[in-house]
Amino acid sequence: MPSHLSADHPAAQPPGRGSVDALISQTRRLKGDMDAVRRDTEGDGADHPRGRWQRALCDLALHQLDDLDEHLAQLRDGPLPTAPDPEPATPAQGSLLSRVGSAEWNLLTDEASWSGELYQILGRDPAAAPLTLDELPSLVLDEDRPGLTAMVTNCLVDARPIDGEFRIARPDGGVRTVHMMGEPVLDTDGSTASMWAVLRDVSELRRSQRVVSETRDSLHHQREAARTEHRLAVELQEAVLPPWRGSLRLPRRGPQSLDLAARCLPASTRTLIGGDWYDALELTDGDTLLSVGDLTGQGVGVTSNMTMLLGAVRGMAMAGALPGQLMAWLNQLLDATVQPALGSAVCCRYRPSTRTLVWAQAGHPAPLLFRDGTGRVLDTPDGVLLGATSGAVYGQAEETLQDGDLLLLHTDGLVPGHTGAAAAHLLLGLAPRLTGSADAEDCVRAVVEEFGSGEREDNACVLVAKVTS
């Protein structure tokens, strides 16, 4: 076939072998590094959408590097002969599908010329005559033929380059995706004399890309589902917790009262809402019940269990149970059920006539008392952790409060990154600011400003009670 000029550029000189070998070496080093990354990703054993997406990306990158390695090797070694020997050497597994085949169709003589790689890619007998442009669509799936026809027509009529994909049916029954790039070749008078193209089997590459897309979509749907559950849990938590927001003066009778304020700080959307709660209730004898705590687990189901638990605590308090006895009964109640499981709790009963606070705890931060610009942790009463044994006895402690005292109850996740004594130390550092606050709501606002900004990994509740005359 006579040589023609490309529509865009003259024939290029073959690259130097040394420079191609250097690129091959760099590619293979990168393949080794990428394979190590993939093994690390597989080694974590995580079977969740994010892990599957990461592994799919590693596989895709390796497919692309494998293709690059094969293409550089072909560039160095040159194309296979158009008519190979009757029994050619068997290429490495998968390599024939990575090689690039080429073809040229002469429009003046209706002749076609295919490289040996193209025969292999299309699964054709290398002894058979190459297909003409009119015959080529016979290999293409019906739904992809219009696209191939449009690409060829635009190339021959309007001299547009070809760059597109179509699926072919191989004689062995397999369906492969082929990427075709080509351009017209102009005769000396500027008319289209022939069309040349290079074709590459990209089936595995596209399969890897589909896996990446599917795992990315799965990860996206999982995140959306988590956001939805987070929102529902927040709404349910707000419905379950006491209906008051801001300050509330309890009880409404008697000379002494408590100014109350509370806030629930939900975890960010990266985690789900747990069963943290706060509660305040005026009892029939004039005392006030205060409690905070948390249920184990996360999500809407755990939040809904909060209703049952708060109902049980309120009922026992209304029946006259003091905090120590209430904790023991609550332990027996939960020990006989599968759900909910209580993580920790602190329960207080305030008697306004004597300004006496009686309280008990179970695996929970002790209340903090602020007075005259300083603060301290209340002495922990003797007792046992909730869930230890049926019939457990919980100790309780008493504290006499004064006018202007601030009592702060909180769950363990209030101070991000700190628990126990470390969290208490940071909260006690707010003593001058809290004791100078006008009311309980100002105190809660100060705590939230200090520890509640930004995303949170843990749920938390805080309740402040200020003794007033």
Side-chain angles (χ1 to χ4, degrees):
M1 181 177 295
S3 176
H4 300 283
L5 297 175
S6 166
D8 295 325
H9 52 77
Q13 295 299 316
R17 186 180 182 91
S19 61
V20 176
D21 281 336
L23 288 174
I24 291 175
S25 297
Q26 293 176 20
T27 301
R28 291 177 180 175
R29 285 196 298 270
L30 186 56
K31 283 171 59 178
D33 294 341
M34 191 67 241
D35 191 53
V37 171
R38 181 177 65 172
R39 288 195 301 270
D40 290 342
T41 304
E42 292 175 345
D44 63 13
D47 186 21
H48 49 73
R50 183 175 180 83
R52 292 192 292 271
W53 172 70
Q54 289 173 334
R55 290 191 290 272
L57 277 177
C58 289
D59 288 340
L60 175 59
L62 280 170
H63 275 305
Q64 292 171 325
L65 289 172
D66 285 338
D67 278 352
L68 179 60
D69 190 10
E70 292 289 343
H71 298 159
L72 290 173
Q74 186 180 357
L75 181 64
R76 178 193 61 193
D77 300 337
L80 293 176
T82 301
D85 296 334
E87 295 183 1
T90 302
Q93 179 67 28
S95 64
L96 64 88
L97 299 179
S98 297
R99 296 182 69 87
V100 175
S102 61
E104 188 167 359
W105 290 274
N106 191 308
L107 304 182
L108 304 178
T109 64
D110 204 28
E111 293 177 342
S113 175
W114 286 9
S115 70
E117 291 89 0
L118 185 55
Y119 278 96
Q120 293 183 342
I121 290 172
L122 301 181
R124 303 283 294 176
D125 182 356
L131 300 181
T132 66
L133 278 177
D134 291 335
E135 296 170 331
L136 184 62
S138 65
L139 302 179
V140 180
L141 298 188
D142 292 344
E143 52 267 38
D144 291 355
R145 287 178 186 172
L148 174 62
T149 301
M151 286 192 296
V152 172
T153 300
N154 291 336
C155 180
L156 299 180
V157 175
D158 300 326
R160 296 180 186 175
I162 289 177
D163 188 354
E165 294 181 5
F166 50 86
R167 291 166 296 167
I168 60 141
R170 288 167 53 93
D172 59 8
V175 175
R176 310 296 295 182
T177 301
V178 176
H179 184 218
M180 181 177 182
M181 297 183 67
E183 59 184 28
V185 179
L186 305 183
D187 211 337
T188 54
D189 62 358
S191 60
T192 302
S194 63
M195 188 189 85
W196 68 267
V198 292
L199 296 94
R200 181 166 65 109
D201 187 312
V202 294
S203 303
E204 292 306 312
L205 183 62
R206 296 297 174 256
R207 182 195 63 79
S208 294
Q209 289 174 333
R210 285 195 300 272
V211 172
V212 170
S213 178
E214 290 168 0
T215 53
R216 182 184 62 239
D217 291 344
S218 176
L219 181 60
H220 172 74
H221 293 327
Q222 184 191 53
R223 287 173 175 170
E224 287 300 313
R227 290 190 184 100
T228 300
E229 186 171 2
H230 178 271
R231 176 178 54 80
L232 292 175
V234 170
E235 293 174 355
L236 182 58
Q237 188 179 50
E238 291 177 349
V240 170
L241 294 178
W244 50 270
R245 294 295 181 267
S247 294
L248 180 71
R249 298 180 69 85
L250 289 176
R252 295 184 177 86
R253 58 180 178 272
Q256 314 298 336
S257 64
L258 292 177
D259 175 26
L260 297 173
R263 192 74 55 85
C264 182
L265 303 176
S268 68
T269 54
R270 292 178 298 176
T271 56
L272 294 176
I273 296 299
D276 291 44
W277 89 84
Y278 62 82
D279 192 23
L281 177 68
E282 183 181 2
L283 304 176
T284 55
D285 60 1
D287 290 358
T288 300
L289 170 71
L290 304 174
S291 68
V292 295
D294 64 272
L295 296 170
T296 60
Q298 295 176 327
V300 174
V302 172
T303 308
S304 63
N305 287 330
M306 201 188 306
T307 304
M308 182 184 74
L309 184 139
L310 287 179
V313 171
R314 287 182 168 194
M316 288 184 283
M318 292 290 285
L322 293 177
Q325 183 65 66
L326 190 152
M327 287 292 187
W329 285 349
L330 187 61
N331 183 62
Q332 294 179 16
L333 174 66
L334 297 180
D335 190 53
T337 61
V338 177
Q339 291 291 341
L342 191 63
S344 61
V346 61
C347 179
C348 305
R349 190 175 183 118
Y350 176 67
R351 183 167 295 115
S353 59
T354 60
R355 288 180 173 170
T356 302
L357 180 76
V358 181
W359 68 282
Q361 67 177 151
H364 198 85
L368 305 181
L369 178 62
F370 296 89
R371 177 185 298 166
D372 298 330
T374 62
R376 63 181 176 90
V377 181
L378 294 187
D379 294 333
T380 302
D382 295 331
V384 298
L385 295 180
L386 195 66
T389 59
S390 297
V393 177
Y394 289 85
Q396 61 185 27
E398 289 191 9
E399 188 77 26
T400 301
L401 304 183
Q402 299 178 11
D403 187 26
D405 280 356
L406 287 174
L407 190 68
L408 189 149
L409 311 181
H410 68 95
T411 57
D412 212 17
L414 179 60
V415 182
H418 297 82
T419 59
H425 176 74
L426 293 174
L427 287 167
L428 292 174
L430 297 178
R433 184 175 177 185
L434 297 184
T435 55
S437 299
D439 53 27
E441 180 61 23
D442 284 343
C443 294
V444 169
R445 188 178 300 112
V447 173
V448 172
E449 289 175 356
E450 187 71 22
F451 303 113
S453 60
E455 292 189 342
R456 305 180 59 84
E457 294 184 359
D458 299 306
N459 309 282
C461 286
V462 57
L463 185 152
V464 172
K466 183 175 182 178
V467 178
T468 61
S469 299

